[in-house]
Amino acid sequence: IAGLKTFSNGISFGNETLSVYDEGLWTPHLKASISDTVNHVAAVGGYTKIGKLVFVTLYIIAQRSTATGVLTIDNLPFTSAGSSLEQAVNVGYTSKITVPASYYGPLVGYIGSSSVIVNLLWSKSGAASVQFNAADLDTTNNDFYMSFCYMTA
């Protein structure tokens, strides 16, 4: 089944009703906050939306070029739920990325309230996380593989 499907009466599962099913492709964008010159060698994503839940996979190969500033992944296929709900994102695999001194992987992320952006962070036990910056990228191909689920409005 491709594209948005709605069911006028829904599909009932006991007391719950499913009324929306959608699947498709989307184009993720690794974006720098100051100088957005991240070269995308490849960027592809897929999604399945069942009710308010969106299951997403993505693959990006990117090069730093002259990008500067904080890096995020932009252009999620649907806007996340509002009401101050931040949702965790796990980064499955990365390559050729420089971990900042005294921090350790893995790279993690979150989706803010009413957003189509994944904010990326380095974690450190007992200390505040730091944002993922363009300087952390190598000038050759950097790979990102991610799969996660988030809730929409």
Side-chain angles (χ1 to χ4, degrees), residues 15-80:
N15 294 332
E16 299 297 321
T17 301
L18 171 64
S19 60
V20 176
Y21 177 88
D22 190 12
E23 61 182 28
L25 298 176
W26 64 289
T27 304
H29 182 223
L30 187 65
K31 184 177 181 180
S33 62
I34 297 173
S35 173
D36 186 23
T37 51
V38 176
N39 294 333
H40 290 80
V41 176
V44 65
Y47 69 87
T48 300
K49 183 176 188 228
I50 302 171
K52 293 182 179 183
L53 287 177
V54 182
F55 300 88
V56 174
T57 60
L58 68 89
Y59 172 62
I60 297 174
I61 300 175
Q63 300 169 339
R64 181 176 68 220
S65 187
T66 59
T68 56
V70 173
L71 292 173
T72 58
I73 295 175
D74 199 359
N75 197 34
L76 288 174
F78 300 93
T79 301
S80 68

